[in-house]
Amino acid sequence: MNNPPEREIRQIIRKTQREWYADGIWEMGFGGAILLIALFYWVSEWLNLAQRLGMGLPVVQLFFFVAAFLGTRWFIAALKERVAFPRTGYVVFRRPQPRLWWRRIALGFGVGMAVGGLQVIFAGEGSKSVAWVGLVFALVMVFLSLRFGVGRFFLVGLATFGLGMGAAVFIHGEWAGMAAFFTAFGAINLVSGLVTMFRFIRRYPVVPEGQEEE
Amino acid sequence: MMSEEPIRRVAGLDRLIHEPARMAIVTILSTVEKADFLFLLHHTGLTRGNLSAHLTRLESAGYIRVEKTYRGKVPQTLISLTEEGRTAFETYCRQLKAFVNSLPEQKNE
């Protein structure tokens, strides 16, 4: 049944929540964190850490994931302050309970556990785990796309799935496959974020100081 | 014949929030912790004068808090929903839903 006021309220809430992703800054932060993780895999591959650290490597990997996701917080806040707020206004989104940084730690921990778990499950099966890791990240992007109505996340999700499959098929060695996948995935997010940010900057000029007031 | 219940329900809606522009302002503020004047201007599409007038009405009713502050050297007006405003908005949403649910099903023509 049609219900204009109720539907309108839902649309306004969704549009306001979507604002967080409108400037591409979140993707750039996320892409940067993923590239840091890729760097970890490249260094691990280069120094052959898998053999040197043995079972200690997944623990180091877990801490690296958490640190990378926490680092995005500072980056996103700094860029929002310089790029988004002078154009479309200052906003503080409601902090979910538990507080945001706990969520970030949980996110980093969860992703680290998922990736580590898949590596353990598919140990000795070449780079098969890369395909599954690609699928996990692809599903995350598709979920974000549907939850907030951001179409480009769906495309990034599809590309992520393709990258995971590609890395699993064409790159030999699990750590090299992971390194290649995370590099490409991080780069895709970074590029998508950059393009979105430049379009945002072109579309919304900076409101001169003092003019934004009532 | 239609029962009187839906009519009573719609008559009981908070008119201060039910006005479309104010409903948009309150809905946005219910999603965020606080926002400045420019953010509301950008998202509601209202003119400065119009937005200012609606904010004054909501502030008089105690639904919003308007805080004059500075970010660096730039003056800034931060607007947030008060506890009273949040409760009023939740009640409004509940009443609206109850009203819609109490309506008889309409046949598609």
Side-chain angles (χ1 to χ4, degrees), chain A:
Chain A
M1 189 188 153
N2 281 342
N3 175 26
E6 216 187 340
R7 205 174 50 197
E8 204 175 315
I9 286 173
R10 261 190 244 119
Q11 281 173 349
I12 293 170
I13 290 173
R14 210 167 176 220
K15 187 175 176 285
T16 311
Q17 288 173 334
R18 198 165 51 217
E19 181 65 20
W20 180 250
Y21 303 101
D23 47 35
I25 292 171
W26 177 84
E27 276 155 284
M28 287 169 65
F30 182 65
I34 295 294
L35 283 177
L36 280 175
I37 290 166
L39 182 71
F40 166 80
Y41 280 112
W42 285 121
V43 170
S44 303
E45 174 74 6
W46 184 45
L47 297 177
N48 201 13
L49 289 181
Q51 285 215 328
R52 285 189 196 182
L53 296 178
M55 287 308 283
L57 188 59
V59 179
V60 177
Q61 171 184 314
L62 203 61
F63 279 109
F64 207 86
F65 271 52
V66 172
F69 279 103
L70 280 176
T72 60
R73 190 185 179 191
W74 170 84
F75 175 82
I76 291 171
L79 221 57
K80 286 264 180 197
E81 190 75 37
R82 280 171 183 77
V83 178
F85 297 160
R87 290 177 164 81
T88 53
Y90 178 79
V91 61
V92 178
F93 282 89
R94 287 183 76 185
R95 287 193 169 85
Q97 295 297 325
R99 294 185 71 90
L100 198 59
W101 66 279
W102 276 114
R103 275 187 72 194
R104 279 183 199 282
I105 290 176
L107 179 69
F109 192 79
V111 171
M113 287 290 281
V115 173
L118 287 169
Q119 281 173 317
V120 171
I121 291 167
F122 293 102
E125 291 189 46
S127 49
K128 210 173 179 180
S129 63
V130 184
W132 286 100
V133 171
L135 180 67
V136 168
F137 278 101
L139 289 175
V140 169
M141 296 312 290
V142 170
F143 167 77
L144 285 175
S145 165
L146 299 175
R147 171 81 174 80
F148 298 107
V150 186
R152 65 179 188 278
F153 284 176
F154 194 83
L155 296 177
V156 171
L158 287 182
T160 304
F161 179 67
L163 286 172
M165 293 298 286
V169 171
F170 295 112
I171 296 174
H172 300 290
E174 192 182 5
W175 289 89
M178 284 287 183
F181 166 74
F182 277 108
T183 304
F185 180 47
I188 276 192
N189 273 284
L190 206 62
V191 169
S192 169
L194 267 171
V195 170
T196 308
M197 192 178 78
F198 282 120
R199 287 172 70 182
F200 177 85
I201 288 171
R202 252 208 333 242
R203 190 168 175 195
Y204 303 109
V206 173
V207 177
E209 284 182 11
Q211 270 190 34
E212 68 267 32
E213 289 300 295
E214 31 178 339

Side-chain angles (χ1 to χ4, degrees), chain B residues 18-33:
Chain B
H18 194 58
E19 197 282 328
R22 286 196 290 272
M23 187 182 76
I25 294 168
V26 173
T27 305
I28 291 169
L29 290 175
S30 75
T31 316
V32 304
E33 211 168 276

